[in-house]
Amino acid sequence: MPTAQIPSKRQLFNLPALPARGKYSIFELALLIACIALVAIGPSQHMLDVILLSFLWAGLALSWNIAGGYTGLVSLGHAAFFGIGAYTSSILTNKVGLTPWIGMWIGAGGAAVLGGVLTLICARLRGPFFILSTLAAAEVVRIGALNWTDVTGGAEGLMILPTPSVANMVFTSKTTYAVLMLVYMVGTYLVTKAIEGSRYGYYLFAIRDDEDAASAAGVNPLLARTGATCTSAFLTAIGGSLFAQYFLFLDPTHVISPELSFQFALIPALGGLGTAIGPVLGAFFITPLSELLRSYFGGGAAGLHLAIYGAVLIVVMLYFPGGLAGALMRLLAGRGGGAR
């Protein structure tokens, strides 16, 4: 049997400069250090709020990208998985007294089951028909949350008891939440990198690029897509639980809304579909921009940030087909003389 080789110090530090499929890079390491430093320096409360939301959205965008970017299953129904995670952990905490640290895994498991069932039923659909089916599934979940008032609170929303404790996953310091969101983003990123560098990841890319050729090579497209969607839904639901524990209030019209599903897809598209670093860069661009627009315009220009998102997305797609990640990588590679 082959024995595992311990990497030498030279191999350990011989990282490529720029991100590559299945490989870590100096750029990614520097970005992680910058994220840790942003939390450690203790910025203002408003800045800390923007930072932790950027981490959360980066993790959610990475989760969506596993199904939408790697497999080509463009979903506009991920708000359903997000809502299931948020509501499950919150309801179990309020009704049963179960800690959210356990409840979020139960919610993630439920979202994964729904994702698998939805894929098995709808993955044979093509193009806009699959997109509409995911949108319809999310709407069914939203209507269910609105009408199941005894459990979810319905249109009045669900309040989570704001009792600070580690067991309740409620903290008085935003820095603690920022660390939690950073761990979520990094964990999701590690899962994403593991998938894209594995044989399974290459199956997903092959199915996305040419399903018939992948099938002829012995890949089962339905099985591979189902696994990707289950993973994507699972990670999205965990993000929903973290969202619930930070805001301590859930409203079905927001938590399970089409707008939220659009943003799940928008961020990876802006950052760079089918790459691990793309959703992170997209979230780090979109989230601060959104908060800046909301604080500047207030309630006097509701929805303006969505119009600006659309305009930015059009410009990026026209002039940077590879998204922000592709443009940035070309820029850095040009300055570095094409060093890897």
Side-chain angles (χ1 to χ4, degrees):
M1 294 178 64
T3 57
Q5 295 183 353
I6 300 175
S8 66
K9 185 180 294 186
R10 179 182 179 85
Q11 291 173 322
L12 196 60
F13 290 95
N14 188 25
L15 297 175
L18 301 179
R21 181 179 295 179
K23 297 179 180 179
Y24 296 100
S25 66
I26 295 174
F27 179 87
E28 291 162 304
L29 181 61
L31 188 60
L32 175 61
I33 293 172
C35 291
I36 296 173
L38 278 174
V39 177
I41 60 176
S44 66
Q45 293 298 298
H46 177 68
M47 279 298 300
L48 199 56
D49 190 63
V50 174
I51 290 169
L52 68 88
L53 287 176
S54 297
F55 293 160
L56 176 61
W57 273 109
L60 292 169
L62 283 163
S63 303
W64 185 94
N65 193 51
I66 293 173
Y70 289 173
T71 316
L73 291 177
V74 178
S75 165
L76 292 183
H78 262 57
F81 310 135
F82 182 84
I84 287 173
Y87 271 102
T88 301
S89 62
S90 302
I91 290 168
L92 289 174
T93 299
N94 286 358
K95 304 290 186 180
V96 185
L98 186 67
T99 173
W101 296 103
I102 298 177
M104 69 177 181
W105 299 107
I106 297 175
V113 170
L114 175 62
V117 171
L118 184 64
T119 306
L120 289 172
I121 295 174
C122 303
R124 293 180 179 85
L125 301 175
R126 294 292 182 269
F129 299 104
F130 176 80
I131 296 174
L132 290 174
S133 68
T134 61
L135 192 60
E139 191 64 11
V140 169
V141 175
R142 187 184 71 84
I143 293 172
L146 280 171
N147 289 278
W148 201 5
T149 55
D150 292 341
V151 177
T152 65
E156 295 181 0
L158 179 67
M159 179 72 72
I160 301 167
L161 297 177
T163 307
S165 74
V166 175
N168 292 336
M169 205 191 290
V170 177
F171 309 103
T172 56
S173 171
K174 284 189 177 182
T175 302
T176 308
Y177 282 109
V179 172
L180 195 60
M181 302 302 184
L182 178 59
V183 170
Y184 169 63
M185 180 189 75
V186 173
T188 308
Y189 194 84
L190 292 175
V191 172
T192 300
K193 293 291 284 189
I195 289 175
E196 75 170 16
S198 67
R199 178 178 295 182
Y200 176 64
Y202 282 92
Y203 288 167
L204 297 182
F205 292 125
I207 294 167
R208 179 195 64 187
D209 295 337
D210 193 330
E211 182 178 341
D212 293 334
S215 297
V219 179
N220 187 327
L222 183 59
L223 184 61
R225 283 173 167 165
T226 301
T229 306
C230 288
T231 304
S232 178
F234 186 91
L235 295 172
T236 301
I238 291 178
S241 296
L242 296 178
F243 174 92
Q245 294 306 128
Y246 179 63
F247 287 100
L248 301 177
F249 181 78
L250 297 175
D251 174 14
T253 58
H254 173 69
V255 176
I256 318 176
S257 65
E259 178 185 340
L260 203 63
S261 290
F262 295 153
Q263 193 156 346
F264 286 138
L266 172 65
I267 293 176
L270 177 64
L273 281 174
T275 65
I277 196 64
V280 176
L281 296 179
F284 286 1
F285 177 80
I286 281 290
T287 307
L289 175 63
S290 172
E291 296 302 315
L292 176 65
L293 291 172
R294 287 175 182 171
S295 62
Y296 182 78
F297 292 106
L304 180 60
H305 66 285
L306 293 176
I308 295 178
Y309 287 170
V312 170
L313 182 61
I314 291 172
V315 171
V316 170
M317 290 300 136
L318 284 176
Y319 296 100
F320 307 105
L324 295 177
L328 183 60
M329 294 308 110
R330 285 197 299 271
L331 177 63
L332 294 178
R335 288 185 175 182
R340 293 183 178 271

